Amino acid sequence: MKKLINFKNKFILILYVILISFQLSSCDQFGSIPKDNDYLRMKKSPNYNIPKDKFLNQNSEIIEEMKKNSGFWANPRKNMANNFFFNSNITKPETLLPEDKNSLNENFIKSKNNIKFAWLGHSSILMSINNKIILIDPVFSSSASPFSWLIKRYQPPVFKMKELPKIDFILISHDHYDHLDMNTIKFFNKNKDVSFVVPLGVGSHLKKWGVSSSRITEMDWWENKVIEDINFICTPAQHFSGRKGFVETQKSLWASWVVKSGKRSFYFSGDSGYSKHYKEIGKKYGPMELVFMDSGQYNTRWRSVHNMPDEVIKGFIDVKGENLIPIHWGMFTLAMHNWFDPPVEIEKRAKEQNISLITPIIGQVIDMENLIVSESWWEKLIDLVK
């Protein structure tokens, strides 16, 4: 027991050193918060609170309430020890997850009046809509953190970045490491035809990493812009932002996205807890042909900023979804539930509500004009550990 306590103390010390390094380091991975004219423009947003000098959720006190009531924020030392040392869940796969490397081909771009997509794990989506390719929240690095040894991905990306079709747009939901990856942005910045569509303030990170302002479209909640026949609509989410631990938080906006082209549409929730914004979005822009909904890395203490399983279903219904695709699982461990809990819990609830559920394996191309029935592929992996 004494050795265990000493180990815990060492772990907590390492954690504190990491947090301090977040605050002291000038690492490029941290990006840059808006300054000068970008900062002045950001302050004009109705979602920016000038006295508090940060963006706020529609429920403006939700993050402070979470910190106050959450076991982690109230006692991080005790909570971290309980999570990491006394957790019996299987938080990462014991074998590689199945992949489909063959269905992505030259026909993927051919999507006139159609939608095709491939889930790349976690929240990364490769989307083809009306002959345009959109890469959403792409993370191709080995970890979802500024340190290569922290929050490592389960397995290498199903495709190398150079193997992807020509990308027209990169769409970002917010600036957390598991959604905004510096190395990925730098790679696609080499292709001068790629445009970046991001929430207000996130462009400052991109400019820090070499992306020119002319290629960045920043949007506030409820703004929409049509670019090359694709209508991008920036919609609210209930979350927060920041790349330096507990400092410089909420200096850029977090968002969900509605994307429409012709009669086709999809909704991408980004990271979000359940709130009134889902119904507002559904009322304004529904129905949604595809709904990519935050469905993993949840915890009752964090339900303000991540959907619980029953809230995934409620949110899907609120936005008037037609087909549900659970995301934010299957590549990184950020919460202490079983890695397979998200699809198990969502599938059970979707069947109860007679909801069309799409759960592709990583890399598998889904063509909405030739939709195939999804398999519960995770069940075989669960059987291996029983």
Side-chain angles (χ1 to χ4, degrees), residues 1 11 37 46 62-63 71 89 121 136 138 155 165 183 208 220 227 234 295 301 335 383:
M1 179 60 71
F11 179 84
N37 289 335
I62 196 72
I63 298 300
N89 291 334
I136 307 173
Q155 58 201 60
N183 293 328
K208 169 79 172 180
D220 204 347
I227 311 174
C234 184
S295 304
R301 294 185 297 272
D383 290 341

Side-chain angles (χ1 to χ4, degrees), residues 5 19 124 285 294 342:
I5 293 173
L19 295 178
S124 297
Y285 301 113
D294 179 0

Side-chain angles (χ1 to χ4, degrees), residues 115-128:
I115 292 182
K116 301 176 185 178
F117 74 90
W119 176 58
L120 306 182
H122 201 62
S123 295
S124 297
I125 308 290
L126 182 66
M127 173 70 63
S128 179

Side-chain angles (χ1 to χ4, degrees), residues 18-277:
I18 292 172
L19 295 178
I20 290 171
S21 71
F22 272 13
Q23 299 179 36
L24 298 180
S25 175
S26 59
C27 177
D28 279 353
Q29 286 275 12
F30 298 153
S32 177
I33 62 174
K35 299 173 183 176
D36 304 324
N37 289 335
D38 288 337
Y39 176 65
L40 294 176
R41 179 167 52 89
M42 189 176 66
K43 287 172 65 176
K44 295 178 181 178
S45 166
N47 303 302
Y48 197 84
N49 185 287
I50 293 177
K52 294 185 177 182
D53 197 25
K54 60 184 178 182
F55 285 101
L56 297 178
N57 284 289
Q58 289 180 320
N59 179 348
S60 61
E61 302 301 322
I62 196 72
I63 298 300
E64 293 305 317
E65 291 173 6
M66 182 183 74
K67 291 179 181 179
K68 188 184 300 181
N69 299 326
S70 162
F72 175 83
W73 296 95
N75 192 339
R77 187 176 189 274
K78 180 180 178 181
N79 182 271
M80 190 68 68
N82 286 340
N83 275 344
F84 285 92
F85 297 101
F86 301 103
N87 179 47
S88 60
N89 291 334
I90 305 169
T91 57
K92 55 188 270 185
E94 298 186 2
T95 186
L96 295 179
L97 302 184
E99 298 178 335
D100 179 352
K101 292 178 175 287
N102 299 317
S103 59
L104 180 65
N105 55 43
E106 65 274 6
N107 291 320
F108 186 74
I109 181 63
K110 299 175 182 178
S111 59
K112 186 171 179 59
N113 301 317
N114 189 18
I115 292 182
K116 301 176 185 178
F117 74 90
W119 176 58
L120 306 182
H122 201 62
S123 295
S124 297
I125 308 290
L126 182 66
M127 173 70 63
S128 179
I129 179 170
N130 214 3
N131 291 343
K132 294 294 180 183
I133 306 296
I134 306 172
L135 187 57
I136 307 173
D137 281 6
V139 177
F140 284 81
S141 289
S142 61
S143 67
S145 85
F147 308 107
S148 60
W149 48 268
L150 188 65
I151 313 180
K152 294 185 69 65
R153 63 188 305 137
Y154 299 157
Q155 58 201 60
V158 58
F159 307 115
K160 296 178 181 179
M161 289 183 280
K162 64 182 180 181
E163 295 174 335
L164 296 180
K166 179 181 176 295
I167 305 300
D168 296 296
F169 302 99
I170 290 182
L171 183 66
I172 301 295
S173 65
H174 65 297
D175 72 358
H176 286 160
Y177 290 93
D178 55 324
H179 297 263
L180 178 63
D181 176 36
M182 180 190 72
N183 293 328
T184 301
I185 296 298
K186 285 187 172 182
F187 177 88
F188 286 105
N189 185 41
K190 298 173 186 176
N191 183 344
K192 301 307 179 184
D193 292 330
V194 176
S195 297
F196 299 83
V197 182
V198 302
L200 193 60
V202 174
S204 294
H205 294 308
L206 273 57
K207 285 185 277 190
K208 169 79 172 180
W209 301 331
V211 182
S212 65
S213 300
S214 62
R215 297 168 59 201
I216 302 171
T217 298
E218 281 193 341
M219 295 169 62
D220 204 347
W221 290 346
W222 304 121
E223 286 188 338
N224 73 287
K225 292 188 179 178
V226 178
I227 311 174
E228 299 181 33
D229 296 325
I230 308 294
N231 189 8
F232 294 95
I233 305 164
C234 184
T235 47
Q238 185 167 278
H239 201 59
F240 62 104
S241 64
R243 293 175 70 86
K244 288 188 178 181
F246 304 127
V247 299
E248 291 186 350
T249 61
Q250 296 169 245
K251 300 296 186 180
S252 64
L253 193 59
W254 47 97
S256 59
W257 292 94
V258 174
V259 178
K260 293 177 174 283
S261 186
K263 296 182 179 180
R264 316 311 289 239
S265 65
F266 68 86
Y267 174 70
F268 181 81
S269 74
D271 282 2
S272 183
Y274 180 82
S275 190
K276 64 180 182 180
H277 67 282

